[in-house]
Every structure is written in structure tokens, then in C-alpha cells.
């Protein structure tokens, strides 16, 4: 895979747990390795109403070099934007890339 289309730096994160001072579990997002190069293609957007507030949801496809340690429970950070991974579509033939089907907006955090 040529590096040209991979022109954005993103960080992939996994949700884990730590304990607060009283021993209660708290959710914590941790990086899965170093930031990686990616291409981000925004596919569609929609606006919904939740709790009497308008919420914008954008769907995106994020392509990164092939790796086997990414699943749909993770998220991707690009700057201040958070993308929730909804599906992982690997290139099983050449193993050059994976496409991450993502959403941003709404309650992804």
C-alpha cells in the first residue's frame, strides 16, 4: 500500500478499567500502540434528536495499514474528534489495510 493516501495521524484506543482511590472501577481509554497514518473518508451524516437536543452523527471509513489487534469495541482519535469503531473490514487477500467503519458525534465518548 502506498503511503500517499494515508495522510492523517490517528490514535487507536481500547477501553479498559482502572480503580479509583476507593477501589471502584472507572472506565479509561488507553492507546493501542503509537499513532498511525490513516485516510479518513466521510461517507454520510444525519441529524437526530435525543433528549430534546439536536445531535449530528457522521459516518466515516478510516483506512490504516493492516493489523490484527483492532476490533469494534475500540475508538479512533483524530485531533479532537472521536470516532467509535462500528466494524472492522480487513483486506484478507493482500493484508495491506483494514477499513474501520466509524461514527462520530452523538454519544461516542
Amino acid at each position: 500500500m502506498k503511503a500517499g493516501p494515508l495522510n492523517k495521524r490517528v490514535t487507536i484506543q481500547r477501553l479498559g478499567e482502572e480503580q479509583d482511590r476507593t477501589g471502584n472501577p472507572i472506565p479509561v481509554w488507553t492507546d493501542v500502540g503509537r499513532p498511525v497514518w490513516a485516510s479518513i473518508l466521510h461517507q454520510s451524516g444525519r441529524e437526530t434528536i435525543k433528549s430534546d437536543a439536536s445531535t449530528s452523527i457522521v459516518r466515516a471509513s478510516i483506512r490504516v495499514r493492516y493489523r490484527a489487534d483492532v476490533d469494534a469495541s475500540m475508538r479512533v482519535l483524530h485531533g479532537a474528534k472521536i470516532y467509535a469503531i462500528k466494524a472492522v473490514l480487513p483486506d484478507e487477500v493482500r493484508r495491506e489495510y483494514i477499513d474501520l467503519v466509524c461514527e462520530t458525534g452523538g454519544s461516542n465518548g
Side-chain angles (χ1 to χ4, degrees):
M1 167 173 241
K2 294 182 180 178
L6 305 178
N7 58 3
K8 309 277 193 273
R9 282 299 253 187
V10 300
T11 301
I12 299 170
Q13 293 187 322
R14 168 181 283 120
L15 184 58
E17 278 189 359
E18 290 184 1
Q19 292 184 351
D20 64 12
R21 290 185 290 163
T22 60
N24 294 318
I26 53 173
V28 177
W29 288 98
T30 57
D31 296 354
V32 178
R34 296 181 179 171
V36 297
W37 289 102
S39 68
I40 301 174
L41 176 64
H42 291 102
Q43 298 173 326
S44 66
R46 72 178 190 272
E47 198 165 313
T48 62
I49 297 178
K50 291 183 180 180
S51 302
D52 295 328
S54 179
T55 303
S56 179
I57 298 173
V58 177
R59 293 206 171 147
S61 176
I62 300 176
R63 180 171 283 186
V64 298
R65 292 190 186 281
Y66 189 89
R67 52 191 299 162
D69 61 344
V70 179
D71 62 52
S73 69
M74 298 177 176
R75 71 182 189 178
V76 175
L77 299 181
H78 178 246
K81 197 167 281 198
I82 299 170
Y83 294 90
I85 299 175
K86 300 298 182 181
V88 178
L89 307 174
D91 170 20
E92 293 292 355
V93 176
R94 292 183 165 164
R95 293 181 176 240
E96 289 184 353
Y97 61 86
I98 57 173
D99 286 322
L100 307 174
V101 179
C102 299
E103 285 186 353
T104 187
S107 58
N108 293 339

